[in-house]
Amino acid sequence: MGKRGGAGPSGGMPRTGPSSIPLSPSVTISQFPSRPKCGFPCQWGSSRGTMATTVRRQRPRRLACWALIAVLLADLLALSDTLAVMSVDLGSESMKVAIVKPGVPMEIVLNKESRRKTPVFVTLKENERFFGDSAASMAIKNPKATLRYFQHLLGKQSDNPHVALYQARFPEHELGFDPQRQTVHFQISPQLKVSPEEVLGMILNYSRSLAEDFAEQAIKDAVITVPAFFNQAERRAVLQAARMAGLKVLQLINDNTATALSYGVFRRKDINSTAQNIMFYDMGSGSTVCTIVTYQTVKTKEAGMQPQLQIRGVGFDRTLGGLEMELRLREHLAGLFNKQHKGQRVKDVQENPRAMAKLLREANRLKTVLSANADHMAQIEGLMDDVDFKAKVTRVEFEELCADLFERVPGPVQQALQSAEMNLDEIEQVILVGGATRVPKVQEVLLKAVGKEELGKNINADEAAAMGAVYQAAALSKAFKVKPFVVRDAVIYPILVEFTREVEEEPGIRSLKHNKRVLFSRMGPYPQRKVITFNRYSHDFNFHINYGDLGFLGPEDLRVFGSQNLTTVKLKGVGESFKKYPDYESKGIKAHFNLDESGVLSLDRVESVFETLVEDSPEEESTLTKLGNTISSLFGGGTTPDAKENGTETVQEEEESPAEGSKDEPGEQVELKEEAEAPAEDTSQPPPPESKRDTTPNGEKVAEKENGEKSEAQKPSEKGEAGPEGVPPASEEGKKQKPARKQRMVEEIGVELVVLDLPDMPEDELARSMQKLQDLTLRDLEKQEREKAANSLEAFIFETQDKLYQPEYQEVSTKEQREEISGKLSAASTWLEDEGFGATTVMLKEKLVELRKLCHGLFFRVEERKKWPERLSALDSLLNHSSMFLKGARLIPEMDQIFTEVEMTTLEKVINETWAWKNATMAEQAKLPATEKPVLLSKDIEARMMALDREVQYLLNKAKFAKPRPRPKDKNGTRAEPPLNASDQGEKVIPPPGQAEDAKPILEPEKVETAGSKQADAEPLELGGPGAESEQKEQPTGQQPSLKNDEL
């Protein structure tokens, strides 16, 4: 073969490389730095030795760069595999899962039945679990083991009214008592019991598996929706369930907030500076929530004017929903059945859990149908004891059954208006959300209550919350960049701090005074941080965190709400901190609270703060200290803090500002004082030295200012320059006079928390629950793997038995071979029926491998014969085209020939060898019987085609980048001089006397042009200077453009 190492006309394709490699939606790493450009000739390639030395020196550097790029590429590609985030809209009856991943913006996940909505059902048996639609169907066969609507038990103690209500609605479930946490759990069997948090963890893990299958990658980050009326205990229970499932919860978002966000995101252009008040009425299966939201654009520090939604008012009814309507219908149908079979020795249907489960499913279908029809026939085949049930139900009967429920529809509207301090005239539109709002009577009563012309139905009632939650997940994730949309959620239940201290009302008479300070007010925004300062304590003390005024809740809601006391905080180490700093002034005990994005309250830390005035002594500072201060100031840092004293850092006073949307003034420190008459604490930073030079700590004026001299604090910034008046720097005596500054000491206080509402699950119990869920998941995966292996074995047996009777398989096999295979298949089928249920996954896979090995020869012969026509046709076509190409290449004149003789000979050799191989192999194959292994193999045909195609493609690429060769010089070695006025080298030249007319004009020798270019490269071009213009005029006309280009 010819040489192929070069580039261009004689070396094949030039080497090119991409300028950048895209790694992720927003990351790009440059591969090859661009060569620096300049207006002067460079020394690239001027000396081969220098060039070689430079290349040798750059090789280690380039290798290091390539290694670094490879590491970054691997890290970023690994990161891109986990870019997806998900949201779970966790409803009472069903859930919706949505994902966002690169290339898939905000998509609802389809479950295994290709449905967008998945029932929140879990069926637990001793050796298997079912979820979703499979569990819903199992609710009829095994209602005791099928758990549903368990979210109503989250964060509830055993004496909560909702626990008794759940037991009344679903008497088939056995609820056990947990004495440690005073909660309940499901007793499925004597050996199997699960808590509501564990069941929710299973559901969340199942939702993640659906999302991962849909996204085709692992997902850990999620945003989960919760009802707006969930209190602290209920929210912590959801977080614990997510932790059991191994999910990283970016945020617990209220479902009404998620719905409002989805509505605003898709109507961003309609939002302006004018406030728009929208009411969302969400009636789901288990509860009803009414929300008033204000949309308008606001100015943000980061992104300028951006749309914002603010929750202004919230009203709710915990038990008003579609489930209660279905339960009413179920009881009505049960009464009709008992009435129809009265006196026929048929048991009461309400005593049969399976029959009641069937009636509840029929009630759900009946409610949906009656929303569009005036009447419908309810019918269940084999309801109980093989007795069928059939009865007609009208919409009027349904509305009479639920009359008291429809009367409660306006309640959440009034609560939302009261909490927002608004009236209906300020509401621009009322939008329906949730499946139960499709009931006509609900819409009728609601329309009358709000006094509008119509109700808004321009939102997807089922998927709006899931879409809003996944948008928030993308916004919180660092992997995506979304358009900002400011969300200001509201606190439903106020939280306050209570503490007691001794006061001396009269001389010698001390009494206890109980104090309350509101920490987070009702309808105040969150997330938010606040600090409360206790100024009158110098010893260890306790304070309490409780809910505030819950007067807006009714008596029944208060019983369902649970404990109104959250936490008792016991502080330890307050007295020791005062003993540690006896000469410092106490600034109080500061407790830092955080109400995070999920609406969960936490106490970050408690500190004892002290301050004192200290005077710096510059002359005592060492040279290293001054150098450190200078370097720190150069890199944006301030003065170095004082040395640590007894392990306590001296820090500047921290300003705890409220989160965006706080009712406090912007920039104001949110600090709750123990007493109203206590003076406001000065939290401003010390003024810069330039401003402190006016007065000393005692209020006296500095002498340097009267003389126009600068203080010591100005010298580092001025670096020895004269002052504004040109006065020299201050003397050494002036350096020592420096105003005092505040030194702040912060001592961490020990905190002991006593949870009063609902104790969290202990860490050891939480670890056991996580391990239990992991074991169940592994068991499910093993069960799925075994089922898959059994199905594969069974399918292979049936398919192969059918193939043995097809002509194409009989043609390539003998009768004895088919009988042997058929016998093995029959034996495997019998084994699978008799012993397959107890066989392990390994045994099933081994049996399948054995059968495939037996049938491999038969299948191989059939597949090869199927591939022959297509492969041979392609080989013939390639041979014909290659021969035509070679024939055309040899016809190229020698003057224009771009291929070498070696290259053309190589191609001819490959063509001949391929023809010979094809003819010989086909002749040999024709002699073999069809039942033998073929010698003509499709892989060999493909290999021959690839070898031939590689040779042809090489020559084609060489021709593509080839340049025409220069014409040879004239025999006498002269060239025609162009006329003086010639402006183009392509003009026709008159031949000299005695030369033929059709002779080609003699071109200008290239060596003249090459010499000029070498000279231009060797000598730097001098622009301007004496004689430059005259030298340019002496240059030939044809070289003027190149000189002008160099000038440019």
Side-chain angles (χ1 to χ4, degrees), residues 1-2 4 878 882 885 899 902-911 913-914 944-958:
M1 293 206 176
R4 303 181 182 179
L878 182 59
S882 302
F885 173 76
F899 304 123
V902 175
E903 293 170 343
M904 290 188 289
T905 303
T906 301
L907 177 58
E908 183 178 10
K909 180 180 178 182
V910 174
I911 293 175
E913 289 177 352
T914 306
R944 294 285 177 172
M945 292 175 61
M946 290 178 60
L948 180 56
D949 184 67
R950 182 169 60 250
E951 296 297 328
V952 176
Q953 288 297 330
Y954 168 72
L955 297 181
L956 288 175
N957 290 333
K958 182 176 181 180

Side-chain angles (χ1 to χ4, degrees), residues 426-602:
E426 301 177 56
I427 305 299
E428 298 184 8
Q429 190 179 11
V430 179
I431 297 177
L432 297 179
V433 186
T437 56
R438 298 186 177 97
V439 177
K441 190 64 175 179
V442 172
Q443 298 182 14
E444 178 185 343
V445 176
L446 180 61
L447 186 61
K448 184 178 179 181
V450 298
K452 303 294 181 181
E453 296 182 358
E454 61 179 356
L455 299 174
K457 302 175 183 178
N458 53 349
I459 193 173
N460 191 322
D462 291 327
E463 300 177 359
M467 298 299 281
V470 79
Y471 186 90
Q472 185 71 358
L476 295 175
S477 173
K478 297 180 180 179
F480 301 94
K481 184 176 182 181
V482 300
K483 293 183 178 180
F485 202 108
V486 183
V487 179
R488 299 178 62 186
D489 214 330
V491 178
I492 306 298
Y493 308 115
I495 299 176
L496 51 81
V497 173
E498 300 185 24
F499 54 94
T500 303
R501 63 179 178 83
E502 290 186 354
V503 295
E504 186 175 357
E505 298 179 353
E506 298 180 4
I509 301 177
R510 303 182 65 86
S511 62
L512 296 177
K513 182 179 180 181
H514 190 69
N515 299 273
K516 294 183 179 181
R517 296 291 181 269
V518 176
L519 197 60
F520 298 99
S521 59
R522 173 165 162 79
M523 302 315 297
Y526 76 88
Q528 192 175 13
R529 294 178 180 270
K530 286 194 175 181
V531 180
I532 184 170
T533 303
F534 303 93
N535 288 328
R536 301 292 182 90
Y537 287 98
S538 58
H539 57 275
D540 295 350
F541 66 98
N542 303 338
F543 64 90
H544 310 278
I545 307 171
N546 303 322
Y547 288 106
D549 183 15
L550 300 179
F552 58 92
L553 298 178
E556 183 65 24
D557 289 334
L558 281 176
R559 287 194 294 271
V560 173
F561 185 84
S563 173
Q564 299 185 31
N565 300 322
L566 286 172
T567 308
T568 295
V569 182
K570 299 180 179 180
L571 302 184
K572 298 180 179 180
V574 177
E576 287 79 357
S577 66
F578 277 81
K579 295 177 182 178
K580 197 171 186 180
Y581 304 101
D583 299 332
Y584 284 67
E585 178 187 1
S586 173
K587 290 299 181 179
I589 311 300
K590 296 182 180 293
H592 299 255
F593 295 91
N594 178 26
L595 191 64
D596 62 14
E597 294 85 354
S598 300
V600 178
L601 178 66
S602 62

